[in-house]
Amino acid sequence: MDSLFLQYLLNWLVLGSIYTLVAIGFSLLFGLLNVIHFSHGDVSMIAPFVALGSLQFLLGITSSTVGIGPILLVLALAILVTGVIGIAADRLVISRFRQAPAMMALVATVALGTVVRELIRGFYPQGSNPKAFPSIVEGFVTLNSLRLPALPVLIIATTVLVIVLMAALMQKTPIGMRIRAVAEDAATARLMGITPSRIFAFTFFLASAVGALGALFFASYAGVVRFDFGVQLGLIGFSAAVIGGLGSMTGAVLGSLAIAGIETLVQANMADGASYRLVFCFLLVIFMLCVRPSGLLGKPVFEKV
Amino acid sequence: MSTTLTQTANRTGLPASLVVTVTEIAAAALLLAFLAAESTVMVVALLALMGAIFAGLQLWPQLEEVIVRAFHDARALATALALIIILIYPFFLGNNTYALHLLIVALIYSTLALALNFQLGSVNIPNFATGATYGIGAYTSALLAINFGWSFWATLPAAAITATVFGFLLGIPSMRTRDSYLALVTIAFGIVIQQLLNNLSWTGGANGLVGIPAPSLFGHSFMSPIEIAGRKLPPQANFYYLSAALLGLAILSAKRLHESRVGLAWNAIRADELAAKCQGINVVWYKILAFGVDAFLAAFAGTIYAFYISYISPDNFTFLVSVTIMTMVIVGGMDNTLGVILGAFLLTMLPEKLRVFSDYRLLFVSVVVILFLILRPKGLFPQRQRHYGEK
């Protein structure tokens, strides 16, 4: 019973971690721009494909197994490339809707997500087929008397580290202060000598890079990646951010844990759990929003008359 | 405003009836050419022609005013001529059943887009669940027909009532949430419905429902061809007339609602919810009403679709369907009936006509949508000012 419980606990925390990494991006961008970057999931899903492609390239050169150093390099490259694509997505599409009604940006980013998916499907070698994705680490780690599989531990530990680093970045560094200043009031921030466009670019890079990490973990944990995985990951990440309260990082974490929790519970306790998983996730979303319309940690919005 | 309009119309010296006749026949001919076009060159040339016409309307706004004015003045003629064109249209398509099929799908999607327009266009409620209410309508009627032997005509109101109940249910959270949060509630609702259709056993699961019987009217089965004056129309023509009638109903209700107090209240809520509330408008009721009206029309469209294709599966009612319908409204022009229908026709036919690009057409259409949103954010035909008083 103990090992089964541990299994579920690990599963819950891993899913929660992956969703958190995606949800943080939604929260960060919404806090700054008041825009829902609906293609965030699809942009993040570019990372596993970059990683797979460059890994195959490396294998082609060395024609032997790849060591841990090159693997880290490949992962870093994938995260970097995805971050830059995040900036490009903003420059090419999203930035055009800064003054437009929120609905426009929403629909445009949904279309942008389709563009990203279709580009992968159409131009990545055999892009429409599912591809096996290797586990980043193999084996087990031993903590006291506990013997835990290494990958979940790595995912959870990395996510905790990322959250701590992000919080430190936002609260303790000059760039974090600038981001918060622009989020508060872009016009005044400009008067204070801050260039909002640079802050936007940096934030898009950060959000996409963290999302890329989430997508890499997701692919590695599932062992497989497909061009359209980004839709569901994006939808769940977005839901997690909204449940927690858009714009709040702690909220993103709580929302992710809530969604991952209900997913794990349903899968553990229902006969048909796997197929009804999404139904319960999104019923939770509806229920939460009806009970707390601005999310768990979202500030209630007061209207100015 | 009205005097200047009359003057412009007079200055051209053209009688309203002539303007109406030429416009309607030209539009019908253009659509016919587009439907019949098979080669890429032809499709691209026709798209260029449409673009040119549109640019012309853009450069000379008086032209648009003249046409609008003419339709206003010769309303009876315009309606009669439109009815005649719609009635005889299938004869010009001959045995091109593919073109007829495209036309039917475009008509059904136009109805759906008009239904969504009650929310998105009139009240500015981002509803991403039109695909779900459409699906509820289709499944209700199909299940009643297959399991209980109900006729098409009996399932029609049953489906509409069921979907409206769901629409009201979905409307309840709109009392509490708004904007992005409301958008997410509708997305979640759409996914829950789609996943349930996909997993429950009595909805046929992922396999869907097969063998929905064809409707019949006064002993004439919709499976059999129509024969008029020695000319035979393919069986699809039955559904063409049916979906055209539904679109007519949708246009009529859109017009009546737009001109009524309800439409005015909706527009007031769109302009400023708080101000509308202060004016004594029951904001919650009108928002929920918008959900109900949308669901009612979408269910009609779903029923016709189910009986036309005779096979439905959860894949027909995904989140992407809702997004497509929403795109039609935005590309066409919010709160403008003609614009919404044009958007629906364009976005239904474009992917089909771009089969030459086969693998890349979804990519192409998405890029076009993004360009549209950037270059023409108010849609092809933006909403027009309301007219009061003079007929």
Side-chain angles (χ1 to χ4, degrees):
Chain A
M1 181 257 158
D2 241 9
S3 75
L4 198 63
F5 176 75
L6 202 65
Q7 175 71 48
Y8 287 134
L9 187 72
L10 264 189
N11 202 14
W12 171 46
L13 290 176
V14 167
L15 281 180
S17 299
I18 292 170
Y19 297 162
T20 299
L21 291 174
V22 180
I24 283 177
F26 280 108
S27 251
L28 204 58
L29 292 173
F30 188 85
L32 188 67
L33 294 164
N34 253 325
V35 139
I36 294 167
H37 176 22
F38 224 101
S39 39
H40 183 55
D42 295 299
V43 170
S44 304
M45 217 20 102
I46 294 173
F49 284 92
V50 175
L52 263 188
S54 32
L55 199 64
Q56 260 149 19
F57 178 74
L58 271 186
L59 282 176
I61 291 179
T62 60
S63 66
S64 62
T65 47
V66 185
I68 185 76
I71 285 184
L72 282 180
L73 205 67
V74 159
L75 294 180
L77 179 75
I79 291 170
L80 200 71
V81 169
T82 312
V84 173
I85 291 175
I87 299 180
D90 177 47
R91 281 282 150 85
L92 289 174
V93 178
I94 303 168
S95 65
R96 324 252 166 185
F97 297 95
R98 298 261 198 269
Q99 312 298 331
M103 277 312 300
M104 292 290 179
L106 190 64
V107 175
T109 51
V110 171
L112 181 64
T114 314
V115 170
V116 172
R117 271 198 307 283
E118 288 297 303
L119 283 176
I120 296 177
R121 193 180 65 88
F123 294 98
Y124 194 86
Q126 278 144 30
S128 50
N129 300 337
K131 300 190 173 328
F133 196 90
S135 181
I136 297 173
V137 284
E138 301 286 349
F140 292 83
V141 284
T142 330
L143 283 170
N144 296 332
S145 61
L146 274 174
R147 198 159 160 274
L148 299 169
L151 183 64
V153 175
L154 175 77
I155 293 176
I156 296 164
T158 314
T159 305
V160 172
L161 184 69
V162 167
I163 294 169
V164 171
L165 285 178
M166 288 274 284
L169 179 87
M170 292 299 280
Q171 299 301 328
K172 302 271 195 272
T173 63
I175 181 89
M177 199 173 73
R178 288 195 196 113
I179 293 177
R180 282 183 290 136
V182 174
E184 196 70 38
D185 187 340
T188 313
R190 191 194 289 273
L191 290 180
M192 301 294 156
I194 299 171
T195 319
S197 62
R198 266 191 225 157
I199 299 296
F200 292 152
F202 178 77
T203 313
F204 266 95
F205 179 84
L206 196 63
S208 308
V210 173
L213 190 62
L216 284 169
F217 285 155
F218 184 66
S220 185
Y221 192 61
V224 68
V225 61
R226 230 173 62 183
F227 73 100
D228 58 353
F229 274 8
V231 187
Q232 215 186 73
L233 189 64
L235 267 176
I236 291 185
F238 175 53
S239 308
V242 173
I243 287 187
L246 277 170
S248 152
M249 198 136 69
T250 325
V253 179
L254 285 181
S256 302
L257 287 176
I259 289 195
I262 198 132
E263 212 179 310
T264 316
L265 275 179
V266 167
Q267 265 175 330
N269 294 316
M270 251 181 82
D272 248 352
S275 29
Y276 285 99
R277 161 179 88 80
L278 280 183
V279 174
F280 282 92
C281 282
F282 286 103
L283 280 179
L284 174 77
V285 170
I286 297 177
F287 173 76
M288 288 291 252
L289 287 182
C290 287
V291 179
R292 277 195 69 103
S294 48
L296 284 172
L297 297 181
K299 282 175 239 119
V301 185
F302 292 104
E303 264 183 90
K304 287 182 199 134
V305 184
Chain B
M1 186 70 185
S2 67
T3 48
T4 50
L5 277 181
T6 327
Q7 275 163 9
T8 347
N10 285 345
R11 230 185 295 143
T12 58
L14 291 172
S17 51
L18 185 68
V19 176
V20 166
T21 316
V22 169
T23 312
E24 286 197 359
I25 291 179
L30 192 62
L31 178 63
L32 195 65
F34 194 60
L35 279 170
E38 302 221 326
S39 68
T40 319
V41 184
M42 195 65 188
V43 172
V44 172
L46 282 169
L47 282 175
L49 177 64
M50 283 183 217
I53 294 173
F54 196 73
L57 287 178
Q58 219 34 47
L59 282 175
W60 299 286
Q62 312 92 296
L63 209 62
E64 198 181 327
E65 286 304 333
V66 169
I67 295 173
V68 169
R69 191 76 210 163
F71 272 82
H72 197 262
D73 288 346
R75 190 182 288 170
L77 175 77
T79 317
L81 189 62
L83 280 179
I84 293 171
I85 290 177
I86 290 167
L87 281 176
I88 62 172
Y89 213 71
F91 290 100
F92 289 95
L93 289 172
N95 279 324
N96 190 347
T97 47
Y98 174 62
L100 202 53
H101 168 76
L102 265 189
L103 207 53
I104 296 168
V105 175
L107 287 169
I108 291 178
Y109 270 100
S110 300
T111 309
L112 284 173
L114 272 183
L116 178 64
N117 188 44
F118 287 121
Q119 300 188 308
L120 190 63
S122 303
V123 209
N124 205 7
I125 298 174
N127 183 359
F128 280 95
T130 316
T133 34
Y134 174 51
I136 291 171
Y139 267 90
T140 309
S141 55
L143 285 169
L144 286 174
I146 292 174
N147 295 336
F148 301 99
W150 286 34
S151 84
F152 168 77
W153 308 102
T155 64
L156 210 49
I161 290 168
T162 314
T164 310
V165 170
F166 274 99
F168 280 134
L169 275 181
L170 175 61
I172 291 172
S174 71
M175 286 188 267
R176 308 253 302 152
T177 55
R178 58 167 61 184
D179 302 333
S180 318
Y181 295 90
L182 181 54
L184 180 61
V185 171
T186 63
I187 292 171
F189 176 80
I191 293 177
V192 167
I193 296 291
Q194 202 259 344
Q195 288 285 320
L196 284 178
L197 293 178
N198 205 5
N199 289 315
L200 293 171
S201 54
W202 51 273
T203 60
N207 299 325
L209 293 169
V210 196
I212 303 161
S216 62
L217 184 62
F218 303 124
H220 170 76
S221 164
F222 276 35
M223 286 291 275
S224 51
I226 303 180
E227 275 193 70
I228 300 168
R231 288 208 52 183
K232 232 185 200 173
L233 287 176
Q236 280 96 334
N238 294 300
F239 285 96
Y240 163 78
Y241 289 122
L242 191 63
S243 43
L246 175 67
L247 181 60
L249 177 76
I251 294 174
L252 201 65
S253 38
K255 204 169 158 48
R256 301 293 293 176
L257 279 170
H258 183 77
E259 282 169 4
S260 72
R261 274 179 164 279
V262 179
L264 210 53
W266 279 344
N267 283 177
I269 296 171
R270 179 184 62 193
D272 189 335
E273 195 175 322
L274 202 61
K277 208 179 267 173
C278 295
Q279 293 288 323
I281 293 172
N282 188 343
V283 172
V284 169
W285 164 244
Y286 280 110
K287 278 184 171 179
I288 293 186
L289 188 66
F291 275 95
V293 175
D294 176 359
F296 191 85
L297 270 176
F300 271 1
T303 305
I304 293 184
Y305 180 81
F307 279 82
Y308 168 52
I309 302 288
S310 86
Y311 160 69
I312 49 174
S313 80
D315 288 346
N316 301 116
F317 313 105
T318 55
F319 172 60
L320 284 177
V321 174
S322 305
V323 173
T324 312
I325 299 165
M326 184 167 272
T327 314
M328 288 169 177
V329 177
I330 291 179
V331 164
M334 296 216 213
D335 218 11
N336 181 320
T337 309
L338 177 69
V340 170
I341 294 173
L342 199 71
F345 267 72
L346 261 183
L347 279 167
T348 313
M349 293 184 177
L350 215 51
E352 294 293 326
K353 286 289 162 190
L354 293 172
R355 287 215 178 265
V356 254
F357 301 104
S358 58
D359 252 13
Y360 305 110
R361 66 202 163 109
L362 201 54
L363 181 66
F364 184 80
V365 172
S366 313
V367 171
V368 168
V369 166
I370 293 176
L371 286 179
F372 247 106
L373 290 171
I374 292 175
L375 299 175
R376 212 174 157 76
K378 295 210 154 151
L380 280 171
F381 290 104
Q383 69 185 113
R384 300 187 67 83
Q385 213 112 41
R386 285 163 178 276
H387 284 284
Y388 291 103
E390 41 92 40
K391 280 278 166 202

